[in-house]
Short mmCIF file of all heavy atoms in Angstrom, two decimals:
data_model
loop_
_atom_site.label_atom_id
_atom_site.label_comp_id
_atom_site.label_asym_id
_atom_site.label_seq_id
_atom_site.Cartn_x
_atom_site.Cartn_y
_atom_site.Cartn_z
N VAL A 130 225.43 6.72 58.00
CA VAL A 130 225.58 8.06 57.42
C VAL A 130 225.41 8.01 55.92
O VAL A 130 224.78 8.87 55.30
CB VAL A 130 226.96 8.66 57.80
CG1 VAL A 130 227.21 9.96 57.03
CG2 VAL A 130 227.02 8.90 59.29
N GLY A 131 225.96 6.98 55.29
CA GLY A 131 225.84 6.87 53.84
C GLY A 131 224.40 6.75 53.42
O GLY A 131 223.96 7.38 52.46
N GLY A 132 223.60 5.95 54.17
CA GLY A 132 222.19 5.80 53.83
C GLY A 132 221.42 7.08 54.04
O GLY A 132 220.59 7.47 53.21
N ALA A 133 221.70 7.77 55.13
CA ALA A 133 220.99 9.02 55.42
C ALA A 133 221.33 10.10 54.40
O ALA A 133 220.51 10.96 54.11
CB ALA A 133 221.35 9.50 56.83
N ALA A 134 222.55 10.02 53.85
CA ALA A 134 222.97 11.04 52.89
C ALA A 134 222.53 10.73 51.47
O ALA A 134 222.80 11.48 50.55
CB ALA A 134 224.50 11.20 52.93
N GLY A 135 221.88 9.57 51.28
CA GLY A 135 221.40 9.25 49.95
C GLY A 135 222.39 8.46 49.11
O GLY A 135 222.36 8.52 47.89
N ASN A 136 223.29 7.73 49.75
CA ASN A 136 224.28 6.93 49.03
C ASN A 136 223.60 5.67 48.52
O ASN A 136 223.50 4.68 49.23
CB ASN A 136 225.44 6.59 49.97
CG ASN A 136 226.63 6.02 49.20
OD1 ASN A 136 226.69 6.08 48.00
ND2 ASN A 136 227.57 5.46 49.96
N GLN A 137 223.10 5.68 47.30
CA GLN A 137 222.26 4.61 46.76
C GLN A 137 222.93 3.79 45.68
O GLN A 137 222.29 3.02 44.99
CB GLN A 137 220.96 5.21 46.21
CG GLN A 137 220.20 6.01 47.26
CD GLN A 137 219.06 6.82 46.64
OE1 GLN A 137 218.86 6.79 45.43
NE2 GLN A 137 218.31 7.52 47.47
N ASP A 138 224.23 3.94 45.53
CA ASP A 138 224.89 3.23 44.42
C ASP A 138 225.48 1.89 44.84
O ASP A 138 226.20 1.25 44.09
CB ASP A 138 225.98 4.11 43.80
CG ASP A 138 227.04 4.52 44.82
OD1 ASP A 138 226.95 4.07 45.98
OD2 ASP A 138 227.95 5.30 44.44
N GLY A 139 225.19 1.45 46.09
CA GLY A 139 225.65 0.14 46.53
C GLY A 139 227.01 0.14 47.18
O GLY A 139 227.43 -0.87 47.73
N THR A 140 227.73 1.24 47.10
CA THR A 140 229.05 1.30 47.73
C THR A 140 228.92 1.71 49.19
O THR A 140 227.97 2.38 49.57
CB THR A 140 229.95 2.32 47.01
OG1 THR A 140 229.37 3.62 47.13
CG2 THR A 140 230.10 1.98 45.55
N HIS A 142 229.74 3.79 52.52
CA HIS A 142 230.11 5.19 52.78
C HIS A 142 231.28 5.19 53.75
O HIS A 142 231.14 4.84 54.92
CB HIS A 142 228.90 5.90 53.39
CG HIS A 142 229.14 7.36 53.61
ND1 HIS A 142 229.02 8.27 52.61
CD2 HIS A 142 229.48 8.06 54.72
CE1 HIS A 142 229.27 9.48 53.08
NE2 HIS A 142 229.56 9.37 54.37
N MET A 296 233.33 15.83 58.86
CA MET A 296 232.24 16.18 57.93
C MET A 296 232.76 16.40 56.52
O MET A 296 232.05 16.20 55.54
CB MET A 296 231.53 17.45 58.41
CG MET A 296 230.57 17.23 59.56
SD MET A 296 229.72 18.74 60.01
CE MET A 296 228.77 19.06 58.52
N SER A 299 235.90 13.37 53.12
CA SER A 299 235.92 12.72 51.82
C SER A 299 234.92 13.39 50.89
O SER A 299 234.02 14.09 51.33
CB SER A 299 235.58 11.24 51.95
OG SER A 299 234.22 11.09 52.33
N GLU A 300 235.07 13.17 49.62
CA GLU A 300 234.19 13.83 48.64
C GLU A 300 232.75 13.40 48.77
O GLU A 300 231.84 14.11 48.35
CB GLU A 300 234.71 13.56 47.22
CG GLU A 300 235.98 14.30 46.89
CD GLU A 300 236.33 14.16 45.42
OE1 GLU A 300 235.64 13.43 44.71
OE2 GLU A 300 237.29 14.80 45.00
N ASN A 301 232.50 12.24 49.35
CA ASN A 301 231.14 11.74 49.47
C ASN A 301 230.53 12.03 50.84
O ASN A 301 229.47 11.52 51.15
CB ASN A 301 231.10 10.23 49.20
CG ASN A 301 231.31 9.92 47.73
OD1 ASN A 301 230.88 10.68 46.89
ND2 ASN A 301 231.99 8.82 47.45
N THR A 302 231.21 12.82 51.65
CA THR A 302 230.66 13.11 52.96
C THR A 302 229.31 13.79 52.86
O THR A 302 228.36 13.47 53.56
CB THR A 302 231.63 14.00 53.77
OG1 THR A 302 232.80 13.26 54.03
CG2 THR A 302 231.01 14.41 55.09
N ILE A 303 229.20 14.79 51.99
CA ILE A 303 227.91 15.43 51.74
C ILE A 303 227.39 14.86 50.44
O ILE A 303 227.78 15.30 49.36
CB ILE A 303 228.07 16.97 51.65
CG1 ILE A 303 228.74 17.49 52.92
CG2 ILE A 303 226.71 17.64 51.48
CD1 ILE A 303 229.05 18.97 52.87
N ASN A 304 226.54 13.84 50.51
CA ASN A 304 226.20 13.06 49.34
C ASN A 304 224.83 13.44 48.80
O ASN A 304 223.90 13.62 49.56
CB ASN A 304 226.21 11.57 49.71
CG ASN A 304 226.32 10.68 48.49
OD1 ASN A 304 225.49 10.73 47.61
ND2 ASN A 304 227.37 9.85 48.46
N THR A 305 224.74 13.57 47.49
CA THR A 305 223.48 13.97 46.87
C THR A 305 222.82 12.83 46.12
O THR A 305 221.89 13.05 45.34
CB THR A 305 223.72 15.14 45.90
OG1 THR A 305 224.69 14.76 44.92
CG2 THR A 305 224.19 16.36 46.65
N GLY A 306 223.30 11.60 46.34
CA GLY A 306 222.64 10.46 45.70
C GLY A 306 223.54 9.73 44.72
O GLY A 306 224.76 9.78 44.78
N ARG A 307 222.90 9.09 43.76
CA ARG A 307 223.62 8.23 42.82
C ARG A 307 224.69 8.97 42.04
O ARG A 307 225.72 8.42 41.65
CB ARG A 307 222.61 7.59 41.85
CG ARG A 307 223.24 6.60 40.87
CD ARG A 307 222.17 6.06 39.94
NE ARG A 307 221.14 5.35 40.68
CZ ARG A 307 221.23 4.06 41.00
NH1 ARG A 307 222.31 3.38 40.68
NH2 ARG A 307 220.26 3.48 41.67
N ASN A 308 224.49 10.23 41.80
CA ASN A 308 225.41 11.00 40.97
C ASN A 308 226.60 11.57 41.74
O ASN A 308 227.39 12.33 41.20
CB ASN A 308 224.67 12.13 40.26
CG ASN A 308 223.66 11.61 39.27
OD1 ASN A 308 223.90 10.59 38.63
ND2 ASN A 308 222.52 12.29 39.17
N GLY A 309 226.73 11.23 43.02
CA GLY A 309 227.91 11.67 43.76
C GLY A 309 227.60 12.80 44.70
O GLY A 309 226.46 13.25 44.83
N GLY A 310 228.62 13.29 45.37
CA GLY A 310 228.42 14.31 46.40
C GLY A 310 229.11 15.60 46.09
O GLY A 310 229.78 15.77 45.06
N LEU A 311 228.95 16.55 46.98
CA LEU A 311 229.62 17.83 46.85
C LEU A 311 231.10 17.66 47.21
O LEU A 311 231.43 16.97 48.18
CB LEU A 311 228.98 18.85 47.79
CG LEU A 311 227.49 19.11 47.56
CD1 LEU A 311 226.98 20.07 48.63
CD2 LEU A 311 227.26 19.69 46.18
N PRO A 312 232.02 18.28 46.47
CA PRO A 312 233.43 18.14 46.80
C PRO A 312 233.73 18.78 48.15
O PRO A 312 233.14 19.80 48.51
CB PRO A 312 234.14 18.90 45.67
CG PRO A 312 233.11 19.84 45.14
CD PRO A 312 231.80 19.12 45.28
N SER A 313 234.63 18.15 48.89
CA SER A 313 234.97 18.66 50.21
C SER A 313 236.22 19.50 50.16
O SER A 313 236.96 19.49 49.19
CB SER A 313 235.18 17.49 51.17
OG SER A 313 236.30 16.73 50.77
#
Side-chain angles (χ1 to χ4, degrees):
V130 171
N136 192 13
Q137 303 170 358
D138 58 3
T140 62
H142 184 81
M296 283 183 65
S299 68
E300 288 188 355
N301 288 326
T302 294
I303 305 175
N304 199 301
T305 57
R307 183 182 299 274
N308 294 325
L311 301 176
S313 65

